[in-house]
Amino acid sequence: MKIVVTRPVAEDALALLRPRGEVRVGPAEPPIPSADEVARMIADADVVYTLPANPLTGDAIRGATKLRMIATMGTGYDNIDVGAARARGIPVTFAPGILDETTADGAFALLLAAARRLGEAERFLRAGKYRGWTPFMFTGQDVNHAALGIVGMGRIGRAVARRAKGFAMTILYHDARRNEDAERELDATFVAGLDDLLARSDFVSLHVPLLPETRHLMNAERLRKMKRTAVLINTSRGPVVDEQALADALREGVIAGAGLDVYEREPAVEPALLALENVVLLPHIASASERTRTRMAVRAAENIVAFLDHKPLLDPVP
Ligand code: 8YV
């Protein structure tokens, strides 16, 4: 039994797998293995344990002739060609639910940082430029009592809304489906049209999965629907935002700011964004707490153990 883990993960997870076969762990250091490298790594695998950063293409899946199961430690599984796996009857599991609260903490931290220009202010101080207090130094947007527009009221969107409530924010949301339970809990208002939500929100936070219909959901036209004072936060998936259009919007003052944790061509970041001060840029760390990353890693391993024991999978991809 060959279990290929594409990158080193928490030791607690590897400890569950080691008694079950030969566990081969991919390289620790960046750069992240390319799609072709992953394909070579998994060519003789029975089970693949992967992460959102590692693309598992249809070719890689078809090329791994012995492959029987795929587990990812992500809640997003857009890196896996699930159709290609299904075509071969290979089950795929993911790790939903575990990161919701931690990711919401990360999203809210990003929102606060972008609203209050924390990255910019810290760079200023570290550069030795703080020579005295002035009344309008780094004044930003108020988060308290502002309107938050949540795009995607799933588990993470809802956890972000809970935090927003503590800041006395007005909570608006847009989703393909109404979430009446969340409306009751959070006094959240469903806004049927995305453009309408964008026009009414001071902050827009994206919590949708990457699907053909969400790719470039925030394009130039949609960015223009936002308020000029508004801030866009993305902790979902990079391609949900047209990065070039966002850079243009930030540079031209179409919107006031942004906070990004994810990128269209991760780990590459649109150079035009790097040149701007009014965007906070993080390296995909919204879910990065020790506890959450360990629990996600263990959950993926538990899915593999369930598969090997012929038990029902804990988290099959729907
Ligand atoms: C992490 C994520 O960045 O779960 C996801 O889909 O994007 C994040 O939680 C990490 O890749 C966890 O494996």
Side-chain angles (χ1 to χ4, degrees):
M1 173 67 52
K2 283 202 180 66
I3 304 172
V4 171
V5 183
T6 56
R7 302 277 284 177
V9 295
E11 194 45 49
D12 292 1
L14 297 175
L16 288 177
L17 300 176
R18 286 210 175 93
R20 311 306 300 256
E22 180 200 328
V23 177
R24 225 166 41 215
V25 182
E29 294 304 317
I32 288 167
S34 66
D36 288 348
E37 281 159 347
V38 171
R40 276 196 293 279
M41 280 164 71
I42 71 163
D44 63 344
D46 297 281
V47 173
V48 172
Y49 179 130
T50 188
L51 340 164
N54 293 135
L56 220 55
T57 61
D59 283 345
I61 292 169
R62 285 184 288 273
T65 50
K66 287 166 46 199
L67 190 58
R68 291 163 51 206
M69 192 233 176
I70 298 168
T72 176
M73 72 167 264
T75 193
Y77 46 85
D78 48 279
N79 60 313
I80 302 171
D81 189 334
V82 176
R86 282 217 172 107
R88 280 191 46 201
I90 296 170
V92 181
T93 64
F94 66 142
I98 299 166
L99 53 54
D100 301 343
E101 296 295 327
T102 306
T103 303
D105 287 348
F108 217 82
L110 194 51
L111 186 150
L112 287 165
R116 299 296 301 275
R117 305 170 58 188
L118 301 189
E120 209 183 328
E122 206 210 19
R123 282 191 293 278
F124 170 87
L125 184 139
R126 283 181 185 271
K129 294 181 184 165
Y130 182 34
R131 301 254 161 74
W133 186 90
T134 54
F136 285 100
M137 193 168 67
F138 293 110
T139 47
Q141 313 287 329
D142 263 330
V143 172
N144 70 83
H145 297 89
L148 171 63
I150 292 193
V151 182
M153 189 61 112
R155 287 182 306 259
I156 300 172
R158 190 165 171 172
V160 170
R162 272 192 212 107
R163 284 150 182 78
K165 218 164 153 51
F167 282 74
M169 295 181 93
T170 299
I171 299 159
L172 311 172
Y173 79 98
H174 171 79
D175 200 304
R177 271 179 311 208
R178 261 186 92 155
N179 187 336
E180 280 159 2
D181 202 32
E183 288 176 28
R184 271 188 298 275
E185 182 198 346
L186 298 157
D187 196 18
T189 303
F190 176 66
V191 181
L194 176 57
D195 289 355
D196 191 15
L197 179 103
L198 299 175
R200 289 162 65 182
S201 302
D202 299 306
F203 295 88
V204 173
S205 193
L206 305 175
H207 301 289
V208 291
L210 178 60
L211 300 168
E213 54 274 29
T214 60
R215 189 173 287 273
H216 281 197
L217 185 71
M218 292 307 295
N219 54 21
E221 199 186 327
R222 289 254 165 68
L223 289 163
R224 275 196 301 273
K225 305 278 184 214
M226 292 174 67
K227 296 184 186 180
R228 292 187 85 85
T229 48
V231 174
L232 177 70
I233 304 300
N234 189 14
T235 52
S236 63
R237 282 292 183 261
V240 174
V241 177
D242 179 337
E243 246 171 51
Q244 182 60 58
L246 176 63
D248 293 345
L250 289 167
R251 197 180 37 248
E252 291 159 15
V254 172
I255 65 171
L260 305 179
D261 189 45
V262 287
Y263 304 90
E264 258 195 280
R265 292 168 290 278
E266 224 165 291
V269 179
E270 167 58 45
L273 287 173
L274 291 167
L276 293 169
E277 284 290 1
N278 55 345
V279 56
V280 179
L281 302 166
L282 299 179
H284 202 144
I285 57 165
S287 73
S289 74
E290 295 268 343
R291 178 167 168 269
T292 290
R293 288 283 170 85
T294 302
R295 287 178 61 213
M296 290 177 81
V298 167
R299 186 72 178 189
E302 286 171 349
N303 271 292
I304 294 174
V305 170
F307 174 78
L308 297 177
D309 287 344
H310 307 287
K311 292 195 178 138
L313 299 173
L314 308 174
D315 313 290
V317 160

